Amino acid sequence: MMRRFVLVAALAVGPTSAAADQTTPVSVVHINDISVTPEQVEGVTPVANGVGALVLLGAGDTPAQIVPNLILSEGGRFTLSPQQAEQLSGRVGVMLPMHDGMPVITLSDIDTLDVDLTGNGVQDSVSFCLTGSSAQITAQSGTTGQELWGHSISLSYDVEATCD
Amino acid sequence: MADKNLSGLAWFKANQSKYPNSNKISALASGFKTSVQAFEKALKAAGATIIVSSTKRNKSRAYIMRYAWDVANKKTAPDKVPKITGVDINWDHGDAAKSIKAAKEMIGSSGFNIAYKPSLTSRHIEGKAIDWTIKWNKELKIKDKKGKEVVIKSSPKSGQNKELHAVGKTYGVVKLASDPPHWSTDGR
């Protein structure tokens, strides 16, 4: 059974707009190098250039972490400092844009991010877990409970599974 | 004289290649290997494209990864790491901070590049799992283990197709639905 943590880390970036009229772009990130190229999620608008917040969801003994104010270049690519790259090596997370109208990001648990992805003013959830050798990220509608999208990243090693 | 078996990035660079994982079907455990080979033959005969990324994973490599992670995250004291045959590594630098720093180097971006707790057991380590990408165009006419032709017209036209999962199961190659490339003896 997964241990429950209560970690509330609300990050309000710019003017909050719960009723934004556009969906929130999202990319999935696997940190393998100082220079990181986000993975595009099928059917989801990817983050573009600008400023982004990297939300690294946790699993098991690995805590959640938010890295704000990353400068994104074309295609949402970004560069970490050597220290950041060393600390975050191997982590999987989601990149969200930081600009006017971005909703509040809340980590309600180490493996669950609440954010309005659909622009309807309701917080949706993005959850994270590990299967035998991959990381799974799943977005779920806060309105209907239906899956909005899912993405899998192969880790190339076996891990202690946390998915139900 | 310096201990050449002391853990750290130097040990990783000098020794990690001694403990390779495999992406060869021939490396799988005998019973599962036969099942996978038969399924692979049917897939190829049907015109599917196959790329194998991982088969048997090295047990000693898993041990090294796990205890590097444990020491780096203060889950196991360096002097309490169990020894295993065939891996000469000294996790204890005689100083807790140095031992932890060395273990962190091993799991960091210049080392194994791992963030999550590695498992000491898995179907891959047993040689009973394969990660492969399977794709086809249009429809797939594939024979199950009994020789009955199954025509798959549904999407996705990849290893994620549920009709293909049923065909794989007749060969004893079972899909783990939540892990796109992963198939094993029992879907775990």
Side-chain angles (χ1 to χ4, degrees), chain B residues 43-115:
Chain B
L43 285 163
K44 285 185 173 174
T49 304
I50 298 165
I51 300 171
V52 180
S53 55
S54 178
T55 56
K56 185 169 172 57
R57 292 189 176 139
N58 191 294
K59 188 175 181 179
S60 297
R61 190 178 187 87
Y63 157 88
I64 298 160
M65 293 169 103
R66 169 60 174 270
Y67 285 103
W69 190 95
D70 270 9
V71 171
N73 288 283
K74 302 179 186 175
K75 300 295 179 188
T76 301
D79 61 342
K80 300 295 183 194
V81 176
K83 294 194 183 303
I84 65 165
T85 304
V87 180
D88 293 323
I89 184 167
N90 179 6
W91 301 95
D92 187 2
H93 290 236
D95 176 278
K98 285 182 182 174
S99 301
I100 291 168
K101 180 175 179 289
K104 282 185 175 175
E105 287 174 358
M106 291 179 67
I107 64 171
S109 57
S110 299
F112 287 117
N113 194 38
I114 57 176

Side-chain angles (χ1 to χ4, degrees), chain A residues 41-123:
Chain A
V41 179
E42 194 175 338
V44 177
T45 305
V47 289
N49 54 341
V51 182
L54 176 59
V55 183
L56 299 156
L57 292 164
D61 295 308
T62 306
Q65 193 171 344
I66 298 174
V67 185
N69 301 315
L70 288 165
I71 306 301
L72 310 178
S73 61
E74 186 101 5
R77 287 186 288 274
F78 59 96
T79 301
L80 297 167
S81 70
Q83 293 90 339
Q84 284 175 320
E86 198 59 32
Q87 285 174 358
L88 306 178
S89 173
R91 295 290 301 265
V92 170
V94 293
M95 178 65 76
L96 298 164
M98 291 172 63
H99 55 65
D100 289 352
M102 180 180 171
V104 171
I105 299 169
T106 305
L107 284 172
S108 55
D109 206 335
I110 67 161
D111 57 4
T112 308
L113 160 71
D114 295 323
V115 60
D116 180 9
L117 295 171
T118 54
N120 65 357
V122 177
Q123 294 289 91

